[in-house]
Amino acid sequence: MYDQPRPNPAYHAMTFDQMLERVRYEGAYPTLERAAAAVHHVLAALGRQLTGDERTDLAQRLPVEAALTLTAQTPDTQHLTGWKDLAARTGATPATARWDTGAVLAVVTRLAGPDLLARILHQLPGGYALLFGQAQLRQPQLQAA
């Protein structure tokens, strides 16, 4: 019974207001406006990193307002440093940027689902898995003979 393949669970669409409320809860923000600022900053930063099918597929799972923020960004030719880039762009402290990133990406993780999240993480440089609340697995190192 346990060895039977199970279909991926259905991911329910979320309205932008529901997303903001969820981010407000995850980040313990005092207002929805503060949660909205975090969502826009973090998704803009993510939009500068993602390309191809992963970008398109994630945009389809996000509420329209969030998807527009993600896709309005031109992907950067160099990989950015995640929340450190966010801190530099917004003038926030690194700790605040890390907090915002974690709160928003916790909700994005739920909306993306495990298969899309794995594809997204494969595209991003090392260190991003932790920002999505996932374990950062090390790649095996080949030892020289």
Side-chain angles (χ1 to χ4, degrees):
M1 178 166 192
Y2 292 105
D3 60 341
Q4 296 295 319
R6 290 183 240 159
N8 286 333
Y11 298 100
H12 300 288
M14 192 181 277
T15 67
F16 189 62
D17 288 339
Q18 289 170 327
M19 182 180 192
L20 292 181
E21 186 58 45
R22 192 74 216 158
V23 169
R24 188 194 65 74
Y25 175 80
E26 291 286 339
Y29 299 119
T31 65
L32 286 177
E33 290 77 21
R34 178 65 184 90
V39 166
H40 288 296
H41 289 129
V42 171
L43 289 179
L46 185 59
R48 289 188 292 276
Q49 291 292 306
L50 289 180
T51 60
D53 291 340
E54 290 75 21
R55 179 183 176 103
T56 303
D57 292 348
L58 180 59
Q60 290 175 346
R61 294 194 186 180
L62 294 173
V64 172
E65 298 88 337
L68 290 173
T69 299
L70 177 83
T71 58
Q73 308 305 310
T74 302
D76 202 310
T77 56
Q78 294 179 324
H79 284 296
L80 306 174
T81 56
W83 57 271
K84 293 177 187 175
D85 172 64
L86 181 61
R89 286 181 182 266
T90 63
T93 66
T96 300
R98 172 66 178 94
W99 185 269
D100 291 349
T101 303
V104 173
L105 294 183
V107 177
V108 170
T109 296
R110 289 188 199 109
L111 290 170
D115 295 336
L116 177 55
L117 182 60
R119 291 178 22 228
I120 289 170
L121 291 175
H122 183 71
Q123 187 180 114
L124 295 172
Y128 273 78
L130 293 174
L131 296 174
F132 283 89
Q134 305 296 305
Q136 180 70 47
L137 301 177
R138 295 181 59 157
Q139 298 295 324
Q141 303 274 332
L142 295 176
Q143 295 187 3

